[in-house]
Amino acid sequence: MSTPQPDASRSSEERCTPDNVLHARTGTDVSPEDVVLAAGRDITPRNLEWARHKIETEGPAALDKLLP
């Protein structure tokens, strides 16, 4: 016996989360650790330096570009 799926009658647009809700940055400063973790990397001195450079060149958008 199959069970009804509650989302089956909804359009795909109603089921998708809008982009403006997906971004986690709340206007606070972006740290190198945030960028490293958002990139899926381990926090190492080399990765932290990479993140610092990325923040210097891209600003807070460096984090936004890594998030969905």
Side-chain angles (χ1 to χ4, degrees):
M1 174 185 239
S2 67
T3 58
Q5 296 180 358
D7 289 334
S9 63
R10 297 169 70 186
S11 73
S12 63
E13 285 186 18
E14 291 175 341
R15 286 182 275 159
C16 294
T17 304
D19 283 346
N20 65 338
V21 176
L22 292 175
H23 297 288
R25 191 166 62 84
T26 60
T28 59
D29 291 334
V30 175
S31 72
E33 290 84 0
D34 294 335
V35 174
V36 169
L37 293 174
R41 299 179 179 194
D42 292 329
I43 297 179
T44 65
R46 183 177 182 186
N47 288 339
L48 289 171
E49 185 57 36
W50 166 81
R52 282 186 198 96
H53 177 72
K54 192 165 179 64
I55 292 169
E56 287 174 8
T57 58
E58 299 176 21
L63 183 61
D64 292 335
K65 291 177 182 179
L66 294 170
L67 297 174

